[in-house]
Amino acid sequence: MGTVIRLALPLTVWLAAFSAVYGLNGWLCTTGLGDATARAVLAAAVLLAVAVQAGLILWLRRSDWRAAGPVLRGVAMTLAAVALIGTVWTLVPGLMLSHCI
């Protein structure tokens, strides 16, 4: 069971971060918060998501993989790297575009 969690967790965290950040963007548009404040909140959310993904990579590197083997460790590390790249690729453009269209 631990191996399944190690394999699924990075992409699940990416999915949750993607949903949370773009949901937060929509909510900030409806609240009428100032553009600078809303961008700061979104930037903090994106940085938190990237930090969590990087923390997952560190956690996976330090995990005990004796029961799973080196192949599953490699797959889990690859999925974690893909999730980190996906987090940056999908969340950073939201900071560069207009806050509320």
Side-chain angles (χ1 to χ4, degrees):
M1 183 61 145
T3 304
V4 173
I5 291 173
R6 289 181 188 136
L7 290 170
L9 192 59
L11 290 175
T12 304
V13 169
W14 166 78
L15 175 64
F18 180 82
S19 300
V21 168
Y22 282 103
L24 177 65
N25 188 12
W27 180 73
L28 289 172
C29 285
T30 62
T31 60
L33 224 58
D35 192 45
T37 306
R39 281 194 189 276
V41 170
L42 284 174
V46 169
L47 287 175
L48 177 65
V50 171
V52 168
Q53 289 290 358
L56 277 174
I57 289 176
L58 293 175
W59 174 71
L60 287 172
R61 287 186 61 169
R62 294 181 179 157
S63 289
D64 182 23
W65 288 93
R66 281 180 275 163
V71 172
L72 286 178
R73 182 181 192 273
V75 170
M77 292 301 294
T78 302
L79 289 174
V82 166
L84 177 62
I85 292 167
T87 300
V88 172
W89 186 264
T90 57
L91 297 183
V92 170
L95 296 175
M96 295 182 214
L97 300 174
S98 176
H99 170 61
C100 295
I101 298 174

